[in-house]
Amino acid sequence: MENWITRGVAAICACGSIALFWTFGVFLAVPWRENRMGSLSGVEWQVLGVPLLIGLAVTWGALHILAIADRAGRPRLYRVICVALAIASVLAVLSGMAWTGERIALARP
């Protein structure tokens, strides 16, 4: 029972990290489309950096919490979940970028 509670907490943290990566993708879309990633202002760096860094920290925390439940007892499952979380994080960034891109396309006449 304790392992399921630990896995549940890790899943909640993982969902939060995916939401932060989606937010990162939302804010990354505009400078990426305009090809000005090398000339971002200080505010834009903050807007991009905060969800990225906090998302990485929350993902790291989720994996550490999950390791308490599964790393020793089920190492293969733990590795599969790590890879799945990495893939989900990348897809969340791409999804956020697509969401913003769609809004930009709809706003232009």
Side-chain angles (χ1 to χ4, degrees), residues 13-27 47-59 89 92-93:
C13 290
C15 289
S17 72
I18 289 172
L20 285 162
F21 286 126
W22 183 84
T23 304
F24 171 72
V26 165
F27 292 124
V47 167
L48 290 173
V50 169
L52 176 63
L53 294 176
I54 294 175
L56 289 170
V58 173
T59 301
S89 298
V93 172

Short mmCIF file of all heavy atoms in Angstrom, two decimals, residues 13-27 47-59 89 92-93:
data_model
loop_
_atom_site.label_atom_id
_atom_site.label_comp_id
_atom_site.label_asym_id
_atom_site.label_seq_id
_atom_site.Cartn_x
_atom_site.Cartn_y
_atom_site.Cartn_z
N CYS A 13 3.35 14.82 -9.12
CA CYS A 13 4.51 15.67 -9.43
C CYS A 13 4.83 15.62 -10.92
O CYS A 13 5.15 16.64 -11.53
CB CYS A 13 5.72 15.23 -8.62
SG CYS A 13 5.61 15.58 -6.87
N ALA A 14 4.75 14.44 -11.52
CA ALA A 14 5.04 14.30 -12.95
C ALA A 14 4.02 15.09 -13.78
O ALA A 14 4.40 15.73 -14.77
CB ALA A 14 5.04 12.83 -13.35
N CYS A 15 2.76 15.07 -13.39
CA CYS A 15 1.75 15.86 -14.10
C CYS A 15 2.05 17.35 -14.00
O CYS A 15 1.90 18.10 -14.98
CB CYS A 15 0.36 15.58 -13.54
SG CYS A 15 -0.25 13.94 -13.95
N GLY A 16 2.49 17.79 -12.83
CA GLY A 16 2.87 19.19 -12.67
C GLY A 16 4.05 19.57 -13.54
O GLY A 16 4.08 20.65 -14.13
N SER A 17 5.02 18.67 -13.65
CA SER A 17 6.18 18.98 -14.48
C SER A 17 5.80 19.04 -15.95
O SER A 17 6.29 19.89 -16.70
CB SER A 17 7.30 17.96 -14.25
OG SER A 17 6.98 16.71 -14.83
N ILE A 18 4.90 18.18 -16.37
CA ILE A 18 4.45 18.20 -17.76
C ILE A 18 3.69 19.51 -18.04
O ILE A 18 3.85 20.10 -19.11
CB ILE A 18 3.60 16.96 -18.07
CG1 ILE A 18 4.51 15.73 -18.10
CG2 ILE A 18 2.82 17.10 -19.37
CD1 ILE A 18 3.79 14.42 -18.20
N ALA A 19 2.92 19.97 -17.08
CA ALA A 19 2.22 21.26 -17.25
C ALA A 19 3.23 22.40 -17.36
O ALA A 19 3.04 23.33 -18.17
CB ALA A 19 1.27 21.49 -16.08
N LEU A 20 4.30 22.35 -16.59
CA LEU A 20 5.32 23.39 -16.69
C LEU A 20 6.04 23.35 -18.03
O LEU A 20 6.34 24.39 -18.62
CB LEU A 20 6.32 23.25 -15.54
CG LEU A 20 5.80 23.71 -14.18
CD1 LEU A 20 6.65 23.14 -13.06
CD2 LEU A 20 5.77 25.23 -14.12
N PHE A 21 6.29 22.16 -18.55
CA PHE A 21 6.91 22.05 -19.87
C PHE A 21 5.98 22.55 -20.96
O PHE A 21 6.41 23.14 -21.94
CB PHE A 21 7.38 20.62 -20.15
CG PHE A 21 8.61 20.25 -19.38
CD1 PHE A 21 8.63 19.12 -18.60
CD2 PHE A 21 9.75 21.03 -19.44
CE1 PHE A 21 9.76 18.76 -17.90
CE2 PHE A 21 10.89 20.69 -18.74
CZ PHE A 21 10.90 19.55 -17.96
N TRP A 22 4.68 22.31 -20.81
CA TRP A 22 3.70 22.83 -21.77
C TRP A 22 3.74 24.36 -21.75
O TRP A 22 3.74 25.00 -22.80
CB TRP A 22 2.31 22.31 -21.43
CG TRP A 22 1.26 22.75 -22.41
CD1 TRP A 22 0.97 22.14 -23.60
CD2 TRP A 22 0.39 23.86 -22.31
NE1 TRP A 22 -0.04 22.82 -24.23
CE2 TRP A 22 -0.41 23.89 -23.46
CE3 TRP A 22 0.21 24.85 -21.34
CZ2 TRP A 22 -1.38 24.86 -23.67
CZ3 TRP A 22 -0.76 25.81 -21.56
CH2 TRP A 22 -1.54 25.81 -22.72
N THR A 23 3.80 24.95 -20.56
CA THR A 23 3.88 26.40 -20.42
C THR A 23 5.15 26.93 -21.08
O THR A 23 5.13 27.96 -21.76
CB THR A 23 3.84 26.80 -18.94
OG1 THR A 23 2.65 26.27 -18.35
CG2 THR A 23 3.86 28.30 -18.76
N PHE A 24 6.25 26.23 -20.89
CA PHE A 24 7.49 26.60 -21.55
C PHE A 24 7.31 26.61 -23.07
O PHE A 24 7.74 27.55 -23.76
CB PHE A 24 8.61 25.63 -21.14
CG PHE A 24 9.88 25.79 -21.92
CD1 PHE A 24 10.69 26.90 -21.73
CD2 PHE A 24 10.26 24.83 -22.84
CE1 PHE A 24 11.86 27.05 -22.46
CE2 PHE A 24 11.43 24.97 -23.57
CZ PHE A 24 12.23 26.09 -23.37
N GLY A 25 6.65 25.60 -23.61
CA GLY A 25 6.40 25.54 -25.04
C GLY A 25 5.51 26.67 -25.53
O GLY A 25 5.73 27.21 -26.62
N VAL A 26 4.54 27.06 -24.71
CA VAL A 26 3.65 28.17 -25.08
C VAL A 26 4.45 29.45 -25.27
O VAL A 26 4.27 30.18 -26.25
CB VAL A 26 2.55 28.36 -24.00
CG1 VAL A 26 1.86 29.70 -24.15
CG2 VAL A 26 1.55 27.23 -24.05
N PHE A 27 5.38 29.71 -24.36
CA PHE A 27 6.16 30.95 -24.44
C PHE A 27 7.33 30.84 -25.41
O PHE A 27 7.85 31.85 -25.86
CB PHE A 27 6.66 31.35 -23.06
CG PHE A 27 5.55 31.76 -22.13
CD1 PHE A 27 5.38 31.15 -20.91
CD2 PHE A 27 4.67 32.77 -22.48
CE1 PHE A 27 4.36 31.53 -20.06
CE2 PHE A 27 3.65 33.16 -21.65
CZ PHE A 27 3.49 32.54 -20.42
N VAL A 47 10.83 34.58 -18.66
CA VAL A 47 9.56 33.91 -18.98
C VAL A 47 9.83 32.50 -19.49
O VAL A 47 9.06 31.58 -19.21
CB VAL A 47 8.76 34.75 -20.01
CG1 VAL A 47 7.62 33.96 -20.60
CG2 VAL A 47 8.24 36.01 -19.36
N LEU A 48 10.91 32.32 -20.23
CA LEU A 48 11.26 30.99 -20.72
C LEU A 48 11.97 30.16 -19.65
O LEU A 48 11.75 28.95 -19.54
CB LEU A 48 12.15 31.08 -21.96
CG LEU A 48 11.48 31.58 -23.22
CD1 LEU A 48 12.51 31.78 -24.32
CD2 LEU A 48 10.40 30.64 -23.68
N GLY A 49 12.81 30.80 -18.88
CA GLY A 49 13.64 30.06 -17.93
C GLY A 49 12.91 29.52 -16.73
O GLY A 49 13.20 28.42 -16.26
N VAL A 50 11.96 30.28 -16.22
CA VAL A 50 11.27 29.85 -15.00
C VAL A 50 10.50 28.54 -15.21
O VAL A 50 10.73 27.58 -14.46
CB VAL A 50 10.36 30.98 -14.45
CG1 VAL A 50 9.43 30.46 -13.37
CG2 VAL A 50 11.21 32.12 -13.93
N PRO A 51 9.62 28.42 -16.22
CA PRO A 51 8.94 27.12 -16.36
C PRO A 51 9.89 25.99 -16.73
O PRO A 51 9.68 24.85 -16.32
CB PRO A 51 7.90 27.35 -17.44
CG PRO A 51 8.17 28.66 -18.04
CD PRO A 51 9.10 29.41 -17.15
N LEU A 52 10.94 26.30 -17.49
CA LEU A 52 11.89 25.25 -17.87
C LEU A 52 12.65 24.73 -16.65
O LEU A 52 12.70 23.52 -16.40
CB LEU A 52 12.86 25.76 -18.93
CG LEU A 52 13.96 24.77 -19.32
CD1 LEU A 52 13.35 23.52 -19.95
CD2 LEU A 52 14.95 25.42 -20.25
N LEU A 53 13.23 25.63 -15.88
CA LEU A 53 14.04 25.21 -14.73
C LEU A 53 13.18 24.57 -13.64
O LEU A 53 13.57 23.55 -13.06
CB LEU A 53 14.83 26.39 -14.17
CG LEU A 53 15.91 26.94 -15.10
CD1 LEU A 53 16.56 28.17 -14.50
CD2 LEU A 53 16.93 25.88 -15.44
N ILE A 54 12.03 25.14 -13.37
CA ILE A 54 11.16 24.55 -12.35
C ILE A 54 10.60 23.22 -12.85
O ILE A 54 10.47 22.26 -12.09
CB ILE A 54 10.05 25.53 -11.94
CG1 ILE A 54 10.67 26.73 -11.23
CG2 ILE A 54 9.04 24.86 -11.02
CD1 ILE A 54 9.71 27.82 -10.87
N GLY A 55 10.29 23.13 -14.15
CA GLY A 55 9.83 21.87 -14.71
C GLY A 55 10.87 20.77 -14.59
O GLY A 55 10.57 19.63 -14.26
N LEU A 56 12.13 21.13 -14.86
CA LEU A 56 13.22 20.16 -14.69
C LEU A 56 13.35 19.73 -13.23
O LEU A 56 13.54 18.54 -12.93
CB LEU A 56 14.53 20.74 -15.20
CG LEU A 56 14.65 20.90 -16.71
CD1 LEU A 56 15.90 21.71 -17.06
CD2 LEU A 56 14.66 19.55 -17.39
N ALA A 57 13.25 20.69 -12.31
CA ALA A 57 13.37 20.37 -10.89
C ALA A 57 12.21 19.48 -10.42
O ALA A 57 12.42 18.52 -9.66
CB ALA A 57 13.41 21.65 -10.06
N VAL A 58 11.01 19.77 -10.88
CA VAL A 58 9.85 18.96 -10.47
C VAL A 58 9.94 17.56 -11.08
O VAL A 58 9.60 16.57 -10.43
CB VAL A 58 8.53 19.67 -10.85
CG1 VAL A 58 7.33 18.78 -10.58
CG2 VAL A 58 8.39 20.97 -10.07
N THR A 59 10.42 17.46 -12.32
CA THR A 59 10.62 16.14 -12.92
C THR A 59 11.65 15.34 -12.14
O THR A 59 11.45 14.15 -11.87
CB THR A 59 11.09 16.29 -14.39
OG1 THR A 59 10.10 17.02 -15.10
CG2 THR A 59 11.30 14.94 -15.04
N SER A 89 7.47 14.82 -21.63
CA SER A 89 7.93 16.20 -21.44
C SER A 89 8.23 16.87 -22.77
O SER A 89 7.84 18.02 -22.99
CB SER A 89 9.18 16.21 -20.55
OG SER A 89 8.89 15.68 -19.28
N ALA A 92 5.02 17.59 -24.45
CA ALA A 92 4.33 18.71 -23.83
C ALA A 92 4.86 20.04 -24.36
O ALA A 92 4.09 20.97 -24.62
CB ALA A 92 4.47 18.64 -22.31
N VAL A 93 6.18 20.14 -24.52
CA VAL A 93 6.76 21.36 -25.09
C VAL A 93 6.24 21.57 -26.51
O VAL A 93 5.81 22.67 -26.87
CB VAL A 93 8.31 21.30 -25.06
CG1 VAL A 93 8.91 22.46 -25.84
CG2 VAL A 93 8.83 21.30 -23.63
#
